[in-house]
Amino acid sequence: MAAPEERDLTQEQTEKLLQFQDLTGIESMDQCRHTLEQHNWNIEAAVQDRLNEQEGVPSVFNPPPSRPLQVNTADHRIYSYVVSRPQPRASYFIAGISPFFILKGLLGWGYYLIMLPFRFTYYTILDIFRFALRFIRPDPRSRVTDPVGDIVSFMHSFEEKYGRAHPVFYQGTYSQALNDAKRELRFLLVYLHGDDHQDSDEFCRTTLCAPEVISLINTRMLFWACSTNKPEGYRVSQALRENTYPFLAMIMLKDRRMTVVGRLEGLIQPDDLINQLTFIMDANQTYLVSERLEREERNQTQVLRQQQDEAYLASLRADQEKERKKREERERKRRKEEEVQQQKLAEERRRRNLQEEKERKLECLPPEPSPDDPESVKIIFKLPNDSRVERRFHFSQSLTVIHDFLFSLKESPEKFQIEANFPRRVLPCTPSEEWPNPPTLQEAGLSHTEVLFVQDLTDE
């Protein structure tokens, strides 16, 4: 049983559907089928449109609102080629024709001359009536609501009537075709199809679908076509002002404007059409070459300017980076100097506070006992700098007094401990967990004469 997405499809359409999915990577079969149906199952056009969307070029079925290009149709150098329909001869006086036919021809011309004023009046009144009718009931073709739909509808009707062997139709609006032709510097051939004209059918069958014509159009130009019965075709018809059908207009970028450089009207034969198109292209090829050179020069100038801008920006970024590093280095030096200054100030404050603390300790020391006092203790302190200090203390005084005395000396370290030699031990001169209240000299087991060692603990 076929999948829901592949119902009502021919074998060829199914193969195109699977091929399109492989080429684009679209997972949804419904989306693939919808895209192919929009492009009338033309897989090349569908894939190209998909690639354009991926590159940022809007799809022809979702055109962006933009101001259409103005086409110059009044160039005095425009090439015009008109194929007139054969007219009835004005004289029947030809050898070999009987008098009856001569009389009949004279009567026909007499009738034509008699009716000419009435025909002129009739068509004049009819044109005035049609002109007035436009104000009462505007032509519905003047309202373009779905230009792409008009193009796709014309393509379908063309292929149903004349087959699939035809030039590749541009599947987008007239404005988009102009934009692409301008961007790609290519010729744009516009065909306006008059459905009711007697020559349209023969032109499409014998001329437009001729293999040599198809080959020329597909290789040398873009081809846009629409029926004038469609709003999009009618809008283009109002701009190009064709006189008769079939009508072809060659448009290209000339003097920086999209310009009509050739008009072909009437039932033209394949060989004649090829000759006329080739003549128009050869006559105007220099404009495209010149524009291409100017565009390349502008691109090179733009690339050079861009390179100069990039070089300037790189130099500017390098200078900014150097300046940033200089600022960072200055800031680092400033912070380091501030840090050194702060450390210096902190050290000065610490020394000042230490000196104040030494002076306070010195002022708070009890007076030294006399040598004759039997409760006095003579202690000799050996300092870390090998100097000696001697002082007397009272047995009843706390070991804290010894510590405060040593602390008040300028020679003593900031942090120290006092050690006795026999037995070797550290005296608990400051409060600790083991000795919340330091013992007295007598409790510490000191004799009347002692030698104590001061151990420097500042670095620890």
Side-chain angles (χ1 to χ4, degrees), residues 7 26 79 94 109 259 304 373 379 418 430 432:
R7 292 175 181 171
I26 301 176
Y79 176 79
I94 301 177
W109 275 103
T259 304
L304 179 61
D373 189 346
I379 300 178
I418 303 172
T430 56
S432 63

Side-chain angles (χ1 to χ4, degrees), residues 431-450:
S432 63
E433 293 182 0
E434 185 178 357
W435 296 95
N437 296 313
T440 63
L441 275 64
Q442 187 175 8
E443 292 174 347
L446 299 182
S447 60
H448 285 279
T449 301
E450 287 285 346

Side-chain angles (χ1 to χ4, degrees), residues 365-371 373 376-377 390-394 397 405:
L365 286 176
E368 182 178 6
S370 64
D373 189 346
S376 65
V377 179
E390 179 181 328
R391 192 182 189 280
R392 288 182 176 274
F393 298 91
H394 203 278
Q397 292 175 342
F405 168 73

Side-chain angles (χ1 to χ4, degrees), residues 308-344:
Q308 291 174 345
D309 292 343
E310 290 176 355
Y312 170 75
L313 291 176
S315 175
L316 181 61
R317 284 192 293 267
D319 293 341
Q320 292 174 344
E321 182 66 16
K322 291 180 181 179
E323 183 63 25
R324 183 186 65 82
K325 289 182 178 180
K326 288 181 180 179
R327 288 198 304 270
E328 290 180 353
E329 181 65 18
R330 289 196 298 268
E331 182 66 18
R332 186 185 64 80
K333 290 182 179 180
R334 186 187 63 80
R335 288 197 300 267
K336 186 175 181 180
E337 291 175 356
E338 289 183 354
E339 184 178 352
V340 171
Q341 185 67 19
Q342 292 295 332
Q343 291 176 354
K344 184 177 180 181

Side-chain angles (χ1 to χ4, degrees), residues 98-302:
S98 65
F100 172 77
F101 290 103
I102 295 175
L103 179 60
K104 185 178 179 180
L106 291 175
L107 291 175
W109 275 103
Y111 176 78
Y112 174 79
L113 293 175
I114 293 173
M115 294 300 298
L116 182 60
F118 298 98
R119 291 167 60 89
F120 176 78
T121 305
Y122 169 76
Y123 285 112
T124 301
I125 295 175
L126 183 61
D127 290 340
I128 294 174
F129 175 75
R130 288 177 178 175
F131 180 77
L133 188 62
R134 291 180 182 177
F135 295 95
I136 302 174
R137 188 180 64 182
D139 193 330
R141 296 178 299 174
S142 60
R143 297 183 60 185
V144 181
T145 57
D146 184 14
V148 177
D150 294 341
I151 305 301
V152 174
S153 175
F154 170 71
M155 289 170 50
H156 289 168
S157 62
F158 187 94
E159 291 183 347
E160 290 176 359
K161 194 170 183 179
Y162 307 111
R164 293 179 174 270
H166 57 75
V168 176
F169 291 109
Y170 183 90
Q171 300 189 34
T173 65
Y174 175 65
S175 297
Q176 288 174 329
L178 290 173
N179 283 318
D180 282 353
K182 180 179 181 180
R183 184 179 67 252
E184 299 173 12
L185 293 178
R186 298 182 63 184
F187 289 99
L188 172 64
L189 183 63
V190 175
Y191 169 59
L192 294 179
H193 183 79
D195 293 280
D196 301 328
H197 197 274
Q198 54 189 344
D199 293 334
S200 295
D201 185 73
E202 182 179 353
F203 175 78
C204 292
R205 291 186 187 278
T206 62
T207 302
L208 198 56
C209 294
E212 58 272 22
V213 173
I214 295 175
S215 176
L216 175 67
I217 293 177
N218 289 347
T219 56
R220 299 287 302 274
M221 64 198 76
L222 298 176
F223 182 62
W224 186 91
C226 191
S227 170
T228 54
N229 287 343
K230 303 292 184 181
E232 177 71 354
Y234 178 74
R235 180 172 67 88
V236 178
S237 171
Q238 295 297 303
L240 299 181
R241 297 294 182 182
E242 73 280 7
N243 297 313
T244 186
Y245 299 98
F247 174 78
L248 293 167
M250 185 72 82
I251 303 175
M252 60 170 289
L253 184 63
K254 181 179 179 181
D255 299 331
R256 299 189 177 182
R257 293 184 61 186
M258 294 304 290
T259 304
V260 177
V261 294
R263 296 168 61 96
L264 306 177
E265 299 180 88
L267 181 57
I268 185 171
Q269 298 303 313
D271 292 340
D272 198 10
L273 176 60
I274 292 175
N275 293 334
Q276 296 300 325
L277 293 178
T278 304
F279 174 78
I280 294 174
M281 288 188 291
D282 292 343
N284 294 277
Q285 188 67 35
T286 54
Y287 293 102
L288 288 184
V289 173
S290 175
E291 180 63 32
R292 189 173 290 109
L293 292 176
E294 289 183 7
R295 187 172 293 184
E296 291 177 357
E297 184 178 353
R298 289 196 298 270
N299 291 339
Q300 291 176 358
T301 303
Q302 184 177 1

